Amino acid sequence: MQYLKPIVVPNAPDLDIVFVHGLNPKGADNHARQTWTDDGDVFWPQTLLPQELPTARILLFAYNSSIFSNASNANVASHARTLCDRLKNRRLSEHALHRPLVFVAHSLGGLLVKQALVEAKDNPLYKCLKASTYGLVFFATPHCGGEKAGVAEAAANVCSAFTGQPKNKLLDSLKANSLINGLSSDLFKHQLDHYDIFSFIERRKMPLKIVPWLPTRNMKYIVNASSAKLGCAKETYLDVDRNHSNICKFSGLDDHAYEGVGPNLKAMGNKARQHLVRCEHAEPDQYDLIEDMHNEWQNSTQRRIALTGIGGVGKSELSNSFIERLDSKRYVLWLRARNYRVLQQNLTDAARDLRNELLRFSTSNKSANGEENRSSASYFAPVPVTELVDILKQWLKAVPADGSRILVILDDLDGLESSYHEEYSMVFTGDALDLIYTSRDPTLSDPGMLWEASHFNVPPLPVDRAVEIIEHHANKSFSRRKQSNNAPAQNATSPGPNDQNAAPLEDIATRLGGLPAAITMGAQYMTDILGAKWDPQGYQKFLERWDHDDGRINILQTRRPTLTYRHSILASVEVSLQRLQRNLRNDKKSIALEKLSLLLLWLFSFMDLDKMTRHELSLFKNTLRALWPDLLDLVHSVPGFSNVATAHGRLTHTVSIDQCIAELIRVSLLTERADDGALLLNSVVKACVLLVPIRLSSDQRKAVEGLVNVIRNHQNGAESTRNLEPTVESVEVTSSRLERN
């Protein structure tokens, strides 16, 4: 019998836990359940675990793992593919492809799980499973010697213990058995650092019959301690005072053996929910992006990665996910670099945190140079923080004594004033120093800039992934309401995905631009501010608010400080606009460039452009060149965005449209698509920029709308010279009124 069956289905699950059994030496029909059931008929995945993780869906995977009776021709690799296929299809049908996953496996089942993750890495159909997997729990799994001979040894031990047949006789037949063929354990070694792992080790022996002519059986471990350990940095291994058969069977919450299992599974499940936050804030191929980053990292001698993209797209979250894949033998310094003051304060805090390490380093250096060292008394005396920072800068250039590497993450690097670039490019260059930096500016990784680095652009989420995140927030909100009402879970009905919800959810996702920060804050507004229910009527209420200026402002200004997002959507876009101004000098031509860049962005937004191909851009440029004098007349009187615009006089300097576009790209207010050069304008940026018209008088609004109509008509080639001139004249006349206002 082969199946993947849910055994616990809570309302609005936020975690999947899959139980996978091991070898079935007796050919029992119900081995998948019996593996986890004690003599008192306590099936703990169904009775105990939900008390630890009440919002986890728990599934049981069954496959034919018999060796002799009714044995299958399928091997472990084949069963692993079946597990991947059934799990993927089930989660796909429930719109839960990215729900966090934890696998719990006994004995040979652990090898099947590892094989499934190898398959998930290699097969594009199953990559979502590998990306979503947070934790692995192994009960007495024979990891070492995990190829055919080692597995056969462990399987022979199991069969001998349960059937009484001699191990040596079993071993020969098991080595030829199809079940244990096709394993790729070596390939799993490359994934060891991707997951949190618990390995439980049997500490009671079982009787084995070694040869047929001996009447007695020796007491031996089925899987010894060294074989049951993977030996990786993220593995925790614990002894369990049970034998191979009952190591994963528990009688209740007060079972002493369960006390070492249940709380650890609970902790892993809670961490896995945080993994969901990282998963949901990335586009579907983000894990491919992490994979590309990791490959680049492994193949580079000078490890530098630049992550760029619009504010709120998830660059910092991606950096965090990538760091989790790296080996643990390294120092990690996460420094915010949004300006010189913040970066300097972060360096100071890091120096204080590393005080002892830095003083040891300083002492070692002085000894090597024959200088007088600190006395033991002065070692514990206060050290001026400026001295510690100086030592930190020296330490960053050195190779730590234990051979570790130093990883520095500079978050929001484009915020650092350009006058400090040269200074810090020297500070963060060292023989053992690796570097990741995030930036809105895609040019910072170019040769001749701060550091030449491997550049990865982080795009917004596609609509279907954004919808999944909204549904996740809906389910969380629904669960909170039910808990506050003390409603029993079995009577609750989750606002899960259906055809009625699909269209408005897609509309919401589109308006929020696929930005994880925007989606999170939008969901916050809907739940806490709007007070709407997560149903079609609630979705429609959100859309109605968005389509009106006042409502859209409220949504864009929603702010609830969290560890992930500290600012409103509007504040994030304003940062880009402020940096546009700061990037330019304070001379007249730069002032003109800033103002015309803002006006160009506003025109794109007002014309509701999402993208502009190269051909369309060429037509647009020709139109603007024809109307450039009128643009110059208007630009000084159209209010800027927030506090970005300056109140300088009339603009008379010629600025090219290409220069404006380049400056907007530098702050990610526009994005240039790599494959075809098309310009992309995110809908959130567009929504923020369109706040400007509500600050205009009626005459001002008409002036700008007249200008946009001229551009549209001119670009479409539909106007004649005769009917173009009055429109331009109208714009000029209204522009004069703007001057007087």
Side-chain angles (χ1 to χ4, degrees):
M1 183 181 295
Q2 191 172 56
Y3 57 78
L4 177 68
K5 180 171 66 176
I7 54 175
V8 176
V9 183
N11 190 50
D14 56 9
L15 173 68
D16 279 350
I17 303 177
V18 181
F19 281 77
V20 183
H21 65 86
L23 201 64
N24 185 2
K26 295 182 178 180
D29 291 337
N30 201 19
H31 184 66
R33 186 183 179 96
Q34 289 175 352
T35 296
W36 316 98
T37 305
D38 85 323
D39 293 338
D41 203 30
V42 176
F43 180 40
W44 70 272
Q46 192 173 56
T47 57
L48 305 184
L49 190 56
Q51 299 180 57
E52 310 279 3
L53 294 165
T55 58
R57 180 177 64 167
I58 303 172
L59 303 101
L60 190 67
F61 180 61
Y63 62 102
N64 188 342
S65 60
S66 297
I67 295 293
F68 306 113
S69 175
N70 297 319
S72 169
N73 289 328
N75 57 24
V76 169
S78 176
H79 292 312
R81 283 190 292 274
T82 300
L83 171 60
C84 287
D85 193 64
R86 296 199 176 190
L87 189 56
K88 185 265 294 183
N89 287 337
R90 179 177 287 275
R91 286 157 62 93
L92 179 63
S93 68
E94 298 162 347
H95 297 265
L97 274 178
H98 296 268
R99 183 183 295 157
L101 262 174
V102 171
F103 287 98
V104 182
H106 175 238
S107 190
L108 183 73
L111 303 183
L112 190 153
V113 167
K114 293 197 296 182
Q115 186 67 33
L117 291 170
V118 170
E119 181 71 22
K121 178 181 183 297
D122 294 337
N123 191 329
L125 292 174
Y126 308 136
K127 281 191 175 183
C128 55
L129 298 178
K130 174 182 173 292
S132 301
T133 300
Y134 176 82
L136 307 174
V137 179
F138 297 114
F139 288 93
T141 292
H143 299 297
C144 295
E147 296 302 330
K148 185 176 176 182
V151 177
E153 179 87 15
N157 286 343
V158 173
C159 289
S160 176
F162 283 94
T163 66
Q165 296 187 50
K167 174 185 171 182
N168 289 351
K169 181 179 178 181
L170 288 165
L171 197 55
D172 291 336
S173 61
L174 280 166
K175 286 181 180 179
N177 190 279
S178 63
L179 178 67
I180 62 174
N181 291 330
L183 286 170
S184 305
S185 295
D186 280 344
L187 296 178
F188 183 74
K189 293 177 183 177
H190 303 294
Q191 298 189 40
L192 285 178
D193 292 328
H194 297 187
Y195 315 110
D196 272 9
I197 299 172
F198 274 102
S199 294
F200 294 101
I201 302 168
E202 61 193 69
R203 281 306 180 187
R204 293 216 174 185
K205 299 178 180 179
M206 294 186 73
L208 299 183
K209 193 168 186 177
I210 307 301
V211 290
W213 45 267
L214 284 176
T216 59
R217 292 194 274 177
N218 292 345
M219 300 296 292
K220 292 182 72 71
Y221 293 116
I222 304 298
V223 177
N224 61 42
S226 61
S227 180
K229 299 176 185 177
L230 279 164
C232 61
K234 297 181 72 173
E235 178 188 32
T236 301
Y237 49 87
L238 298 171
D239 294 340
V240 181
D241 189 26
R242 297 285 174 85
N243 62 34
H244 187 82
S245 175
N246 60 22
I247 189 174
C248 54
K249 299 177 180 179
F250 311 109
S251 59
L253 295 174
D254 57 351
D255 187 320
H256 292 311
Y258 183 77
E259 289 173 359
V261 174
N264 284 315
L265 258 175
K266 180 178 181 179
M268 179 179 282
N270 289 333
K271 289 179 181 178
R273 293 191 182 93
Q274 298 304 312
H275 182 64
L276 173 62
V277 173
R278 292 191 293 275
C279 289
E280 70 184 11
H281 291 167
E283 90 291 350
D285 296 328
Q286 186 180 41
Y287 294 94
D288 291 334
L289 185 58
I290 292 178
E291 197 72 29
D292 292 341
M293 291 166 58
H294 194 262
N295 291 337
E296 184 74 27
W297 190 269
Q298 295 294 94
N299 296 327
S300 300
T301 53
Q302 198 169 43
R303 296 168 175 171
R304 294 173 183 163
I305 284 179
L307 291 175
T308 66
I310 188 173
V313 79
K315 302 182 293 292
S316 301
E317 291 297 316
L318 182 62
S319 300
N320 190 49
S321 298
F322 177 70
I323 291 168
E324 291 185 351
R325 291 197 49 177
L326 303 178
D327 60 88
S328 58
K329 195 175 182 183
R330 65 177 62 247
Y331 296 90
V332 179
L333 276 68
W334 190 293
L335 306 173
R336 290 182 295 151
R338 69 169 180 260
N339 57 46
Y340 171 78
R341 182 186 60 79
V342 170
L343 178 55
Q344 195 63 27
Q345 183 59 53
N346 273 234
L347 276 172
T348 301
D349 294 341
R352 289 194 180 105
D353 292 340
L354 291 167
R355 177 187 184 279
N356 292 343
E357 174 66 27
L358 295 177
L359 291 181
R360 281 194 295 269
F361 166 77
S362 178
T363 300
S364 175
N365 268 6
K366 288 181 177 179
S367 297
N369 296 330
E371 300 176 32
E372 184 179 349
N373 285 323
R374 291 176 178 270
S375 65
S376 58
S378 65
Y379 184 83
F380 296 100
V383 180
V385 70
T386 53
E387 182 181 342
L388 279 177
V389 172
D390 288 340
I391 299 173
L392 173 62
K393 291 178 180 179
Q394 297 170 31
W395 178 75
L396 289 171
K397 294 184 176 300
V399 178
D402 60 359
S404 298
R405 295 192 66 82
I406 302 166
L407 173 60
V408 174
I409 300 95
L410 293 174
D411 198 19
D412 203 13
L413 182 61
D414 59 306
L416 182 65
E417 297 86 342
S418 58
S419 56
Y420 297 104
H421 283 187
E422 185 175 353
E423 173 187 345
Y424 282 104
S425 67
M426 300 298 295
V427 169
F428 298 113
T429 301
D431 293 335
L433 190 147
D434 301 325
L435 185 65
I436 298 173
Y437 58 89
T438 70
S439 168
R440 287 172 166 84
D441 185 355
T443 68
L444 278 184
S445 62
D446 291 347
M449 298 296 285
L450 272 166
W451 302 275
E452 188 172 353
S454 301
H455 179 209
F456 294 89
N457 180 64
V458 184
L461 304 170
V463 172
D464 58 339
R465 278 295 292 123
V467 167
E468 286 184 25
I469 301 174
I470 296 171
E471 288 170 347
H472 168 66
H473 284 290
N475 287 333
K476 286 201 300 186
S477 172
F478 180 82
S479 297
R480 287 197 298 270
R481 292 203 311 271
K482 285 297 176 185
Q483 290 170 7
S484 64
N485 295 333
N486 296 317
Q490 61 268 27
N491 294 332
T493 303
S494 168
N498 55 53
D499 293 339
Q500 190 180 15
N501 291 349
L505 282 178
E506 289 175 1
D507 287 345
I508 292 173
T510 300
R511 282 165 170 77
L512 294 175
L515 300 182
I519 293 167
T520 300
M521 295 304 177
Q524 188 67 51
Y525 174 83
M526 184 165 182
T527 302
D528 292 351
I529 309 300
L530 194 57
K533 293 182 179 179
W534 289 88
D535 55 23
Q537 290 73 29
Y539 301 146
Q540 195 58 44
K541 192 174 181 182
F542 180 95
L543 292 171
E544 289 171 0
R545 288 292 182 96
W546 180 273
D547 291 337
H548 289 83
D549 291 337
D550 292 340
R552 188 166 68 253
I553 290 175
N554 290 333
I555 295 170
L556 293 171
Q557 290 180 331
T558 298
R559 179 178 178 272
R560 182 177 181 181
T562 65
L563 290 176
T564 308
Y565 302 115
R566 298 180 178 88
H567 310 292
S568 70
I569 309 166
L570 181 59
S572 179
V573 175
E574 284 183 322
V575 167
S576 292
L577 289 162
Q578 290 162 4
R579 288 179 185 171
L580 171 67
Q581 181 187 40
R582 191 207 62 191
N583 287 344
L584 301 170
R585 296 185 299 275
N586 201 33
D587 55 68
K588 291 182 178 179
K589 186 171 182 178
S590 295
I591 294 167
L593 178 56
E594 174 213 337
K595 281 182 164 286
L596 288 169
S597 297
L598 286 172
L599 183 62
L600 186 64
L601 180 66
W602 191 88
L603 289 173
F604 283 161
S605 302
F606 195 87
M607 295 173 71
D608 200 22
L609 297 175
D610 296 315
K611 74 172 182 178
M612 187 177 287
T613 66
R614 286 182 175 178
H615 176 68
E616 291 168 341
L617 180 60
S618 177
L619 293 176
F620 189 81
K621 286 179 183 177
N622 291 335
T623 302
L624 286 186
R625 287 190 187 100
L627 300 172
W628 205 239
D630 302 302
L631 284 174
L632 289 172
D633 282 339
L634 262 181
V635 71
H636 75 283
S637 21
V638 174
F641 186 88
S642 183
N643 61 349
V644 176
T646 54
H648 291 279
R650 179 179 294 276
L651 300 170
T652 57
H653 295 271
T654 302
V655 175
S656 76
I657 299 168
D658 286 337
Q659 282 179 296
C660 295
I661 290 173
E663 290 303 323
L664 292 170
I665 289 174
R666 277 190 65 192
V667 290
S668 285
L669 291 172
L670 285 179
T671 304
E672 186 176 27
R673 196 158 58 189
D675 56 352
D676 60 3
L679 290 181
L680 307 178
L681 177 61
N682 188 277
S683 56
V684 163
V685 174
K686 189 163 49 178
C688 290
V689 173
L690 285 177
L691 292 178
V692 173
I694 67 168
R695 303 174 187 173
L696 300 178
S697 68
S698 176
D699 284 345
Q700 290 171 334
R701 183 188 292 267
K702 288 177 182 177
V704 177
E705 289 175 350
L707 178 63
V708 169
N709 288 333
V710 171
I711 293 173
R712 283 178 173 154
N713 291 337
H714 195 281
Q715 194 168 359
N716 293 333
E719 81 291 2
S720 65
T721 306
R722 185 168 51 84
N723 59 24
L724 172 63
E725 289 175 353
T727 313
V728 175
E729 182 182 355
S730 171
V731 173
E732 290 173 342
V733 170
T734 312
S735 178
S736 300
R737 292 197 198 120
L738 289 173
E739 291 179 32
R740 291 195 295 274
N741 292 339

